Amino acid sequence: MGPLVLNTRPDTDSAELLTELEQRGYRHLSAPMLNINFPPIERPVDIAPYQGVVFTSANGVRAFTKLSEDRNLTAYCVGDATARMCKLCGFDDVYSANGDIHDLAALILRMVDAKQGPLFHPAARKPAGDLGEMLKTRGYRVDRQTVYEAEESKTLPDPVISALRNHDIDAILFFSPRTAESFAKLVQRYNLQQDLSETNAICLSPAVQSKISDLTWHRTLVASQPTQEYLLSELGSLS
């Protein structure tokens, strides 16, 4: 049997990851640290003023499809998974920063003329960084609208608790600061602090790693670039 890996991503973002893990020979458990909720849409958004739409997650794309039927705007995406979701939803003009929010800001600075109009950003209530503030001083206007909620999980599944206490989990994957922070809180709640010393933490970025740095791990690894591909490369280095 292959190593056992714990996935902490929301269910809505996990299908591709779990398939990839299986193809690489890993067993997996899931404990989503964030629950994604899409509130009812009161009225469609008027996208006429915008020259493009900015997506910092695949859930933002899913939410946008409920806000508007228009797919003619250019889509600027934080990463390849988000870009793939755009194409699945009917966008043709799609660009990926293949990184994090800072890479996305750099992509916009290279490709977008601020004088041609504002950008629309459908986002979570608590986004990972303020893209609008990052670009404001360069003359860009980014209109952010909350289109989904990412609520922290309050519990761990029983099979995950048992696997942690039995030291059966070889590695835990963390893709965002909020998922890592939520996991750290649940470790405290379930008194699992002494049960991670044989488990490896694989983090998407240093910002993610900082949220679980107070826990005692066997090893903590950080992807050299903030993408799923590089995170899984770090996982593979443990073999």
Side-chain angles (χ1 to χ4, degrees), residues 7 9 13-21 23-24 79-81 84 98-99 173-175 202-204 223 225-236:
N7 162 47
R9 299 196 86 177
D13 296 325
S14 291
E16 182 181 293
L17 171 64
L18 298 183
T19 298
E20 186 70 26
L21 288 173
Q23 291 175 347
R24 295 180 183 221
D80 291 349
R84 285 193 292 273
N98 192 29
L173 309 182
F174 296 105
F175 282 82
I202 317 293
C203 302
L204 192 70
Q225 294 186 34
T227 68
Q228 178 173 296
E229 177 185 354
Y230 280 90
L231 183 144
L232 291 178
S233 292
E234 292 297 331
L235 176 63

Side-chain angles (χ1 to χ4, degrees), residues 194-210:
Q194 306 304 316
D195 297 313
L196 301 173
S197 60
E198 297 180 22
T199 301
N200 301 287
I202 317 293
C203 302
L204 192 70
S205 69
V208 176
Q209 190 271 338
S210 69

Side-chain angles (χ1 to χ4, degrees), residues 1-234:
M1 293 190 299
L4 181 60
V5 175
L6 177 61
N7 162 47
T8 62
R9 299 196 86 177
D11 286 333
T12 52
D13 296 325
S14 291
E16 182 181 293
L17 171 64
L18 298 183
T19 298
E20 186 70 26
L21 288 173
E22 290 171 4
Q23 291 175 347
R24 295 180 183 221
Y26 294 99
R27 296 173 296 136
H28 57 78
L29 290 171
S30 289
M33 291 293 99
L34 296 175
N35 299 309
I36 307 301
N37 297 308
F38 298 95
I41 303 301
E42 296 181 0
R43 62 181 181 275
V45 65
D46 179 13
I47 64 167
Y50 300 104
Q51 63 164 313
V53 59
V54 178
F55 293 113
T56 47
S57 72
N59 288 312
V61 182
R62 296 182 182 100
F64 182 85
T65 64
K66 304 175 188 297
L67 288 172
S68 173
E69 296 181 357
D70 195 306
R71 304 292 182 268
N72 294 317
L73 288 176
T74 301
Y76 303 96
C77 303
V78 69
D80 291 349
T82 303
R84 285 193 292 273
M85 180 58 66
C86 279
K87 292 178 180 178
L88 284 173
C89 291
F91 286 90
D92 291 323
D93 197 14
V94 180
Y95 297 91
S96 169
N98 192 29
D100 59 15
I101 193 169
H102 300 284
D103 298 302
L104 179 57
L107 175 72
I108 292 169
L109 288 171
R110 289 196 307 271
M111 299 192 64
V112 179
D113 182 355
K115 297 178 181 178
Q116 297 302 310
L119 297 166
F120 181 64
H121 180 198
R125 185 169 298 278
K126 296 180 180 179
D130 192 332
L131 188 66
E133 283 299 315
M134 294 169 65
L135 295 170
K136 185 177 180 180
T137 58
R138 303 295 292 272
Y140 292 84
R141 191 183 110 198
V142 180
D143 291 346
R144 188 176 77 203
Q145 179 173 327
T146 298
V147 293
Y148 69 95
E149 301 271 2
E151 299 177 352
E152 290 187 1
S153 297
K154 304 299 183 185
T155 60
L156 285 170
D158 287 341
V160 171
I161 296 172
S162 296
L164 287 169
R165 287 183 171 152
N166 292 330
H167 299 181
D168 291 335
I169 295 177
D170 297 284
I172 304 179
L173 309 182
F174 296 105
F175 282 82
S176 75
R178 285 199 68 201
T179 56
E181 184 176 30
S182 178
F183 180 82
K185 291 178 181 178
L186 290 175
V187 166
Q188 300 290 332
R189 177 176 180 178
Y190 286 95
N191 196 26
L192 297 168
Q193 297 93 322
Q194 306 304 316
D195 297 313
L196 301 173
S197 60
E198 297 180 22
T199 301
N200 301 287
I202 317 293
C203 302
L204 192 70
S205 69
V208 176
Q209 190 271 338
S210 69
K211 299 298 182 180
I212 48 95
S213 60
D214 289 340
L215 300 176
T216 300
W217 301 93
H218 178 61
R219 291 179 66 188
T220 302
L221 301 176
V222 178
S224 59
Q225 294 186 34
T227 68
Q228 178 173 296
E229 177 185 354
Y230 280 90
L231 183 144
L232 291 178
S233 292
E234 292 297 331

